[in-house]
Amino acid sequence: MVRKKKEVNRVDEMLDELLADCQTPEDILGESGLLKQLSKRLIERALAGELNHHLEGEKDVESEAPDTESLPRGNSRNGYSKKTIQSDRGEMDLCYTT
């Protein structure tokens, strides 16, 4: 029986590139390992996307109001904030737009 060769996709290529620098299991699973770094960045991006969605939706509501001058100002970005979260990988310090 002939096995089909698995097609390499972009995700596999990126993982291969990231794992090339990892010499030990600690480099991948350790306190400052690749898995924790990827998890941290994924969570930060998700929070940033959620905030973008929230602020864009609020902007749409304000633009539909007949007299926007009399309305109080809505939420807006005002810098970056640090937050420590607990995960199954331990504590993670996140830095995200507020």
Side-chain angles (χ1 to χ4, degrees):
M1 210 181 240
V2 177
R3 288 187 174 184
K4 287 186 178 181
K5 203 173 198 180
K6 183 181 175 188
E7 289 185 36
V8 178
N9 61 33
R10 187 165 183 241
V11 173
D12 290 331
E13 289 172 353
M14 289 187 295
L15 282 173
D16 289 342
E17 186 178 331
L18 289 170
L19 290 170
D21 295 334
C22 297
Q23 303 300 318
T24 65
E26 183 72 19
D27 293 341
I28 300 169
L29 303 171
E31 182 62 32
S32 60
L34 179 62
L35 187 57
K36 190 165 184 179
Q37 291 177 44
L38 290 171
S39 297
K40 177 183 182 300
R41 288 190 173 105
L42 180 64
I43 293 167
E44 289 172 343
R45 291 249 178 126
L47 289 171
E50 183 179 8
L51 183 61
N52 284 340
H53 178 73
H54 172 74
L55 292 177
E56 288 172 4
E58 192 170 277
K59 199 181 297 180
D60 293 341
V61 170
E62 285 179 5
S63 66
E64 292 173 6
D67 182 15
T68 57
E69 293 297 319
S70 64
L71 293 175
R73 295 285 277 165
N75 291 326
S76 63
R77 286 178 175 34
N78 62 355
Y80 289 88
S81 174
K82 288 188 178 184
K83 183 172 209 96
T84 302
I85 64 166
Q86 293 287 334
S87 76
D88 58 343
R89 303 265 174 238
E91 286 188 356
M92 274 192 246
D93 293 322
L94 303 180
C95 183
Y96 60 96
T97 305
T98 58

